[in-house]
Amino acid sequence: QVQLVESGGGSVQAGESLRLACAASGYTFSALHMGWWRQFPGKEREVITTIDNYGRTTYRDSVKGRFTISKDNAKNTLYLQMNSLKPDDTATYYCLAKVLGTSLQYWGQGTQVTVSS
């Protein structure tokens, strides 16, 4: 069982930055395929960015050039650096961990990001 604990959300002004963190435990962190998702009120969750166990990344077009995913295997922590935030980025952000070679996946509890204009 993978446990994920997120932190770093909050309220900022447009143009400011936030860094989200997702601390993982219960599994070999370097063997997890990780990602950040977000959910707007009344909408389904959407993937923002992913990073695999080799460090290869993908990004949703709307966040390319503004958001950066990274991970620290020594600290078992996934990060999302969010720059140039916009009001449209206001959502609940979740980290997701997938166990390679299985169908197992685990979600964090979510952290709210609010960007005001």
Side-chain angles (χ1 to χ4, degrees), residues 18-70:
L18 279 174
R19 188 175 80 156
L20 306 183
C22 174
S25 61
Y27 202 84
T28 303
F29 184 73
S30 59
L32 297 172
H33 186 135
M34 307 288 293
W36 287 98
W37 293 57
R38 65 186 178 188
Q39 187 169 22
F40 302 110
K43 304 289 187 180
E44 293 187 356
R45 289 182 195 182
E46 62 179 30
V47 60
I48 305 169
T49 176
T50 65
I51 185 166
D52 67 12
N53 56 317
Y54 295 105
R56 296 174 297 196
T57 59
T58 67
Y59 290 93
R60 190 177 193 84
D61 284 348
S62 60
V63 305
K64 283 181 180 177
R66 299 189 299 124
F67 291 11
T68 303
I69 190 171
S70 63

Side-chain angles (χ1 to χ4, degrees), residues 8 10 12-14 17 23 32 46 48 51 69 77 79 82 87 98 100-103 109:
V12 296
Q13 297 286 322
S17 299
L32 297 172
E46 62 179 30
I48 305 169
I51 185 166
I69 190 171
T77 302
Y79 299 100
M82 304 186 293
K98 294 183 179 180
L100 296 176
T102 77
S103 60
Q109 82 281 6

Side-chain angles (χ1 to χ4, degrees), residues 75-97:
K75 295 182 178 180
N76 291 350
T77 302
L78 177 74
Y79 299 100
L80 180 64
Q81 178 66 42
M82 304 186 293
N83 298 329
S84 302
L85 282 161
K86 305 175 182 180
D88 287 348
D89 295 317
T90 297
T92 303
Y93 286 70
Y94 297 88
C95 65
L96 171 68

